[in-house]
Amino acid sequence: MGSNIMGSEIPSSHFSPEDFKKFTERLDAETQLVGHWLAQDHFAYNQRIGYELEAWLINSNFRPAPINERFLQALDNPLVVPELASFNVELNSLPENLSGDVFKRLEEGLKLTYRQCRNQARLLGCELVTIGILPNLREADLSLQHMSNLSRYRALNEQVLRLRHRRPLRIDIKGKDHLRTTHNNVMLEAATTSFQLHLQMPARYAARYFNAALILSGPMVAASSNSPFLFGKDLWEETRIPLFEQSVSVGGHKDSEKGDLKRVSFGAGYIRESLLECFQENQSHFPVILPALFDKPPENLAHLRLHNGTIWRWNRPLIGFDTQGEPHLRIEHRVIPAGPSILDTIANAALFIGMMSALIEKEEPPEENIPFSLARRNFYNAARQGLEAELYWFGGNRGKASTLLIEHLLPLARSGLEQLEINSNDIQHYLGIIQQRLTTGQTGSRWQRLYVATHGHDMDALTAAYVERQQRENPVHDWTV
């Protein structure tokens, strides 16, 4: 859940009916304003990229360590912020220009922040680890006493339960094993940690960018999966996907065309004309859950951005403001899990950015080549089966994800990065890591399953082995079991 889930801290976690009414009025006005801005091309555009990486704090027994408040105070780094659970933190990058040695710069920046975090964690007798779902996490860890001490999180929990009429959240995920459980708060969401990429997009091509990100979500999940286990059960290659969707399961209003819209979802269709469609869908289909009122002019879009932050599309449009106060548009690509290594993380970014860059340059819009229903099917197939999943591609191509990625998508990514004039050694280096991962078939999920198949079903041992490999800093295709 990104730090811009709701931007800044909110003043209170209790709301009156009047708050909801006023908030809705302001949301409507700000949505109209965005419509005008999009029509007038009022958004600034710089070719920039940034990320958010969620991480776990764990103690010497490799169990979650709920100390993020102490940790963050001692660290005192504005790029590292709290997350929903007190054993999670989020590492952010400064935006970087998408050119030349951008991926090297991102890698160096991440290494610096990550090492600072690890050193600080060690001073507190802990470790920092990035992984989609911590394998030895227990359901008891996800209690309200482990919620970060911020009113926005308390409010979120309160309002989700209110909309569910206090019915517990039901988790039902069927993979190799079958997990069925109920949970009475939103803390399950804290189990799903991600690497979220932010890409600035020009307003007039925003629909193109958004649709391309949807099309690429299936292949990205297949290539990067790192979350096979939850509460000791072996589920999907990327269990984070169904878990997040079920962990804040409050639907929107039913829609005759689009059916029942969920707050965490792949979305209901491609964008047809303008990004405004997303914000209008937010306004008309999703009940307000955090009606915090801000004393700011409509041009700040404070209410629209807060509301958008409580709707977690796997590809989410964001509006931000630069240091000069100019608004810009970003796409937040949320499908990639955290981990396994920093090199894998940056390689995943290079793969996505390269494929995006190539797709948006195509003369014919790629969404005319692959129906939305197939892009969505690809996404869930890939989350279930990773590189083994059957994926559909352009020109009626279909095949195993690994084959499709090697034969079609890596060359696509390479040509996209070349168009961006990325340093050619860096293209070789980062896409080479992806190539090796695809050739060996060893994603983070595959390595975790292989480890358990070899050493037995001990989730603490798996977590310890994973942490040890991660600290060596080599990419996952090199990891031994």
Side-chain angles (χ1 to χ4, degrees):
M1 183 158 76
S3 56
N4 49 37
I5 164 181
M6 337 194 194
S8 51
E9 177 57 326
I10 60 175
S12 157
S13 56
H14 299 290
F15 308 109
S16 68
E18 185 62 15
D19 292 334
F20 281 93
K21 185 169 167 292
K22 280 188 179 150
F23 187 96
T24 303
E25 285 164 8
R26 293 182 192 184
L27 175 64
D28 293 350
E30 290 170 17
T31 305
Q32 256 182 323
L33 183 61
V34 167
H36 293 310
W37 285 3
L38 280 164
Q40 295 157 2
D41 206 0
H42 173 66
F43 289 92
Y45 172 58
N46 294 297
Q47 216 168 16
R48 284 192 172 159
I49 171 186
Y51 63 75
E52 303 165 36
L53 173 63
E54 297 161 346
W56 300 78
L57 289 162
I58 57 172
N59 64 23
S60 55
N61 297 324
F62 303 96
R63 316 268 323 123
I67 59 159
N68 70 0
E69 216 166 324
R70 266 169 61 209
F71 169 81
L72 291 166
Q73 263 172 346
L75 184 72
D76 193 23
N77 179 340
L79 291 176
V80 187
V81 297
E83 264 296 331
L84 173 61
S86 54
F87 41 72
N88 293 137
V89 292
E90 178 184 274
L91 286 58
N92 289 271
S93 72
L94 294 166
E96 292 278 2
N97 289 324
L98 193 47
S99 60
D101 62 350
V102 59
F103 294 106
K104 205 68 194 141
R105 293 196 305 272
L106 287 171
E107 184 192 330
E108 280 162 11
L110 178 52
K111 273 190 173 149
L112 188 69
T113 310
Y114 188 79
R115 284 174 184 162
Q116 279 179 350
C117 286
R118 268 194 66 198
N119 291 339
Q120 187 53 62
R122 290 186 151 175
L123 291 174
L124 296 169
C126 290
E127 274 295 353
L128 190 82
V129 59
T130 53
I131 188 167
I133 297 173
L134 198 67
N136 61 353
L137 182 71
R138 297 171 195 164
E139 210 172 335
D141 296 323
L142 300 173
S143 67
L144 286 182
Q145 77 200 49
H146 291 156
M147 183 181 270
S148 289
N149 186 22
L150 290 167
S151 43
R152 66 176 187 246
Y153 295 135
R154 286 192 293 277
L156 177 73
N157 186 58
E158 189 48 44
Q159 296 302 319
V160 165
L161 293 179
R162 181 183 66 79
L163 279 178
R164 293 183 56 82
H165 311 292
R166 304 267 153 207
R167 287 193 311 272
L169 291 145
R170 293 186 176 284
I171 301 298
D172 189 342
I173 305 171
K174 197 169 183 178
K176 295 190 174 170
D177 299 330
H178 192 174
L179 174 69
R180 294 170 75 171
T181 184
T182 57
H183 202 80
N184 56 4
N185 59 55
V186 297
M187 285 289 288
L188 282 163
E189 186 190 322
T192 64
T193 51
S194 315
F195 172 60
Q196 286 144 215
L197 279 168
H198 289 236
L199 177 63
Q200 254 197 55
M201 49 188 181
R204 66 178 63 149
Y205 299 117
R208 248 338 233 311
Y209 275 72
F210 191 85
N211 294 341
L214 290 172
I215 290 167
L216 294 172
S217 293
M220 282 307 301
V221 168
S224 66
S225 63
N226 196 24
S227 322
F229 296 105
L230 174 61
F231 306 146
K233 303 253 190 202
D234 184 343
L235 301 167
W236 291 17
E237 285 277 305
E238 194 44 54
T239 304
R240 211 177 98 260
I241 304 290
L243 179 60
F244 197 175
E245 292 193 355
Q246 295 176 26
S247 67
V248 271
S249 176
V250 277
H253 303 297
K254 283 218 184 327
D255 178 280
S256 53
E257 244 181 82
K258 297 173 172 174
D260 194 7
L261 297 176
K262 299 277 188 260
R263 283 193 109 93
V264 183
S265 80
F266 188 69
Y270 289 130
I271 288 182
R272 295 186 187 125
E273 305 283 327
S274 149
L275 202 58
L276 182 61
E277 293 157 37
C278 270
F279 293 105
Q280 287 173 332
E281 191 178 275
N282 287 358
Q283 175 199 12
S284 54
H285 292 291
F286 293 100
V288 170
I289 56 177
L290 291 178
L293 299 169
F294 299 95
D295 192 14
K296 291 180 175 166
E299 291 72 21
N300 186 269
L301 306 178
H303 305 85
L304 175 134
R305 292 195 294 154
L306 174 59
H307 184 53
N308 186 50
T310 66
I311 298 152
W312 295 270
R313 293 178 181 86
W314 288 111
N315 292 280
R316 172 160 68 179
L318 297 176
I319 298 175
F321 290 88
D322 62 23
T323 42
Q324 286 78 50
E326 290 275 306
H328 64 256
L329 297 171
R330 305 199 297 275
I331 181 133
E332 180 187 40
H333 184 63
R334 306 168 50 80
V335 310
I336 307 170
S341 69
I342 288 175
L343 274 173
D344 287 307
T345 301
I346 303 301
N348 289 336
L351 176 65
F352 176 68
I353 297 298
M355 294 193 298
M356 276 293 277
S357 167
L359 277 195
I360 51 198
E361 291 299 325
K362 280 195 184 300
E363 248 167 67
E364 194 186 355
E367 57 270 35
E368 287 174 17
N369 267 314
I370 187 162
F372 177 78
S373 60
L374 289 186
R376 181 168 56 195
R377 183 187 295 183
N378 282 349
F379 177 66
Y380 292 105
N381 282 354
R384 271 196 186 87
Q385 295 171 311
L387 292 174
E388 293 295 311
E390 179 176 70
L391 300 188
Y392 296 81
W393 200 241
F394 303 144
N397 268 314
R398 58 190 247 203
K400 221 158 79 163
S402 51
T403 312
L404 202 65
L405 276 152
I406 290 170
E407 290 178 3
H408 295 279
L409 297 177
L410 263 182
L412 188 73
R414 187 164 278 118
S415 70
L417 293 175
E418 284 165 359
Q419 282 164 19
L420 289 169
E421 299 184 350
I422 300 300
N423 175 320
S424 61
N425 288 341
D426 290 357
I427 297 179
Q428 277 308 104
H429 177 55
Y430 294 110
L431 292 186
I433 290 170
I434 300 289
Q435 174 111 36
Q436 292 276 43
R437 194 192 304 159
L438 296 172
T439 313
T440 58
Q442 185 152 290
T443 57
S445 281
R446 193 66 61 82
W447 179 85
Q448 290 181 56
R449 284 179 157 154
L450 203 54
Y451 186 90
V452 167
T454 311
H455 299 282
H457 194 284
D458 177 341
M459 292 292 127
D460 288 329
L462 168 61
T463 307
Y466 179 97
V467 170
E468 195 253 336
R469 308 289 190 287
Q470 184 169 82
Q471 290 176 356
R472 292 184 198 163
E473 298 194 354
N474 50 342
V476 72
H477 67 262
D478 277 343
W479 292 13
T480 55
V481 293

